[in-house]
Amino acid sequence: MNIETKLRRAGFMVAAGLLLQFLSLLPLHPLAFIAFVGFGVPIMLIGVAYYVFSLLSHTHPDAPVSPATRAGQS
Amino acid sequence: MQYAITLTLIALSFALAAFVGLRAGISRTREGRILSFVALLVLPVVAVWGGYTEHEERASTTEFCLQCHVMADFGKTLHYDDKSYIPAVHFENRFVPRDQACFTCHADYALFGGITSKIHGLKNVYVQYFGTPRKPADIKISSPFPNSTCLHCHLGSRAFETVNGHHKTADMLQKVKASQLSCTSSSCHDTIHEVGDLKDAKFWTEPK
């Protein structure tokens, strides 16, 4: 899976979490707090974690190849 | 004002995250990668912090606490026209802020007191919506009311230190300060909400 697909997924997850957080702030109700803590924040954090993971696991095409990788390729 | 800023921040974060989701191709450029970083990491973290602060603030309001049906009667007890009821005398005389009347006395003032109180409150919300709430008259405080909550405001005040009732014995005040003698359960200030008294009670109404 390429980085753009991962970014797209992360973007949608973060956006979904933020939308829930936004909606939870409109009414003054105990269940709104539950929606924020139980759904909005976790969904957003999963999206953020997915984004960070995709950055860490992504290898730039121009990145130098390590000797071990080069040996494996030959 | 803070509410409007928080809503705007979350809306902006949402718009940027959605934009990155729709245009993931922007990550091919350096500027696009910076925008992705801001939209998917920096802004959401700031937004969630702002949102939590706002929710914590709102969850401390009297209006919020009284949203649960079983708490409505406890809210009425704040208006008893009788000085012997501790919550009423605090509420009516503005010894506690009226918009945070419940939280002022039912919060732990330790380092993580606010968070501890919210976690405890979550259990109450769970029982309200997913369990079987007890009748208001059957609801009792879950742990003995700590003297530290009373002393948070009263300690050092002239009335508290000098009133005759606090000097019935030589060491009475010291015992209260050391939590060896409870303020609320030593036959001293033990008339609290008493929701069972509501049906025969007279209520105080604030003059307009």
Side-chain angles (χ1 to χ4, degrees):
Chain A
M1 195 188 305
N2 65 19
I3 183 80
E4 287 181 20
T5 309
K6 289 177 179 173
L7 264 185
R8 186 171 293 117
R9 287 182 179 178
F12 287 141
M13 267 193 279
V14 170
L18 286 167
L19 181 64
L20 273 174
Q21 289 178 30
F22 183 88
L23 294 175
S24 79
L25 277 168
L26 299 180
L28 176 67
H29 198 276
L31 286 182
F33 183 63
I34 302 285
F36 178 85
V37 175
F39 299 101
V41 174
I43 292 172
M44 192 212 78
L45 287 181
I46 290 170
V48 170
Y50 190 74
Y51 168 68
V52 172
F53 174 75
S54 69
L55 282 187
L56 296 176
S57 63
H58 174 66
T59 312
H60 196 274
D62 300 333
V65 180
S66 71
T69 310
R70 202 177 298 136
Q73 285 171 346
S74 60
Chain B
M1 185 63 185
Q2 186 194 322
Y3 176 61
I5 292 172
T6 305
L7 275 185
T8 308
L9 179 66
I10 294 177
L12 177 70
S13 306
F14 165 77
L16 273 180
F19 176 76
V20 170
L22 290 169
R23 301 278 173 86
I26 60 168
S27 65
R28 287 179 213 140
T29 64
R30 187 169 179 271
E31 293 77 16
R33 283 195 290 275
I34 292 171
L35 180 67
S36 305
F37 184 77
V38 172
L40 300 184
L41 187 66
V42 180
L43 272 180
V45 170
V46 177
V48 80
W49 173 76
Y52 180 77
T53 308
E54 182 62 33
H55 267 292
E56 195 182 22
E57 188 81 17
R58 301 167 96 198
S60 306
T61 61
T62 309
E63 190 185 353
F64 179 91
C65 298
L66 299 183
Q67 291 276 334
C68 289
H69 182 66
V70 294
M71 283 293 121
D73 281 356
F74 288 84
K76 288 178 192 163
T77 67
L78 298 174
H79 302 276
Y80 277 143
D81 190 13
D82 186 333
K83 279 193 245 175
S84 56
Y85 291 89
I86 299 296
V89 84
H90 281 75
F91 182 82
E92 291 164 9
N93 291 301
R94 295 187 185 271
F95 295 157
V96 294
R98 286 188 183 164
D99 58 344
Q100 295 197 335
C102 311
F103 187 74
T104 305
C105 292
H106 293 284
D108 182 358
Y109 286 99
L111 183 59
F112 298 108
I115 294 170
T116 311
S117 302
K118 294 293 174 292
I119 292 170
H120 190 74
L122 283 176
K123 291 180 195 165
N124 293 341
V125 173
Y126 177 82
V127 172
Q128 167 75 20
Y129 292 104
F130 307 107
T132 311
R134 280 177 285 179
K135 289 177 184 168
D138 297 334
I139 295 174
K140 303 292 175 211
I141 196 161
S142 58
S143 54
F145 196 83
N147 282 8
S148 58
T149 304
C150 308
L151 296 176
H152 182 73
C153 296
H154 290 287
L155 185 65
S157 80
R158 184 177 175 181
F160 172 78
E161 300 283 346
T162 60
V163 69
N164 288 337
H166 290 170
H167 294 279
K168 287 177 186 165
T169 60
D171 60 348
M172 188 177 188
L173 203 54
Q174 288 308 315
K175 281 185 174 175
V176 168
K177 289 177 182 175
S179 295
Q180 292 166 351
L181 183 66
S182 168
C183 303
T184 58
S185 54
S186 306
S187 305
C188 295
H189 304 288
D190 56 359
T191 308
I192 319 292
H193 287 287
E194 316 302 338
V195 290
D197 297 352
L198 274 172
K199 58 182 184 299
D200 303 317
K202 275 176 65 186
F203 295 97
W204 175 78
T205 45
E206 191 174 10
K208 300 282 178 194

